[in-house]
Amino acid sequence: MKKTLSVIFITIWLDAIGIGIIFPILPRLLEDVMHTADISPYIGIMAALYALMQFIFAPFLGALSDNFGRRRILLISLSGAVVNYLIMAFSTQLWMLLAGRAIAGLTSANIAVAMAWLTDITPQHKRARRFGLFNAMFGAGFIIGPVLGGWLGDYGLRLPFLVAAGLNTGNFLLALTVLKESRTPANRKMNLSEFNPLKPLRWLSASKGLLIVTLVFFFLSATGEVYGTCWALWGQDMFHWNGLWIGLSLGTFGVCQTLAQAFLPGPASRLLGERGTILAGIACSCLALIILSISNQSWMVFAIMPLVALGGIGTPALQALATHQVNADQQGQLQGILASAVSLASIVAPLIFSTLYFLVRTWWPGAIWISVIIIYAFAVPLIYRCART
């Protein structure tokens, strides 16, 4: 049991490193492949393509893991990640990069399957602690990944992708040789409705409160996409950051975000209430975004990282607020609806933000952060309409 747990935690840690390692140097790779500096729309297209494939195929992979076992789906997912990174490492055309991201999105069941595996082998009274360790391992990997990717990218543009492919190959071999199936496969006849990614949204009509809280989830999830889409581009344009500095900035944000998420949501919710905590998080985000929009020195960005991270304290409060919109028998349906809202935001938002950045980068790159405040403005009235304070 301990060996299995260790392998699952190592798997998710290496997976997070592999995901984070490409963020600092993806814009430079696109510039190298396309021979142009105007690549911001393509960053959005790649992010949206990955999210779209994930949205379409996540229910399919989840159902397959329930029916045929976790192990083979995890191995398929890890092998897909290896193929993605190798394609990106040796790509010479845009279509190759897009094909790599499509494959990655199609097979991106790592985290979901690992979480299901952990649930299979963990008694009820130990799940909270192990889920906390699970999230901590992912967070640690995502802090290390951008720093490592930025540093490696300064030595060789394709090197981070080769390293990511190597990490996932090691991950695959570790899972192949050590992990044993955690559940007896059902091997039942599967209903095609299980593969419909829009199925959870059918329950939105059940409650006006549920519709409102789902819209808030959509808007807040959309705002989070701006960092993955535009951060590296903005850092290059404003401060001429190299890969290492982009990675260090992302790693610093990851540390601040992890600490804020670990220690602040509970006390904030007790002090301010759930709705108050959501609004406080938005207020912190908006202040940080205004400062980012006018920043002209690198030290200013690093100085406000804790304030940027404080913006995230509202998400756990929103999740708690959402659970009050349905009864105990519908909590599973609720989580499916919220997951669909997050997925849809991950598809739409990168396309919007990357297009906006393409339009504003030549006269005011910082304007991209003001656009996020506008999205928050749509969410705030909806938050006041949520039923529970």
Side-chain angles (χ1 to χ4, degrees), residues 1 33-34 73 90 103 117 138 280 294 323 342 345 365 371 386-387:
M1 178 68 73
V33 169
M34 300 188 65
I73 303 303
F90 296 104
I103 292 171
W117 205 317
F138 186 85
I294 60 175
T323 63
V342 171
S371 71
C386 289

Side-chain angles (χ1 to χ4, degrees), residues 51-64 102 105-109 195 197:
L52 177 63
M53 297 297 286
Q54 190 177 52
F55 177 66
I56 292 172
F57 287 97
F60 178 74
L61 292 171
L64 287 180
L106 190 153
T107 60
S108 60
F195 305 146

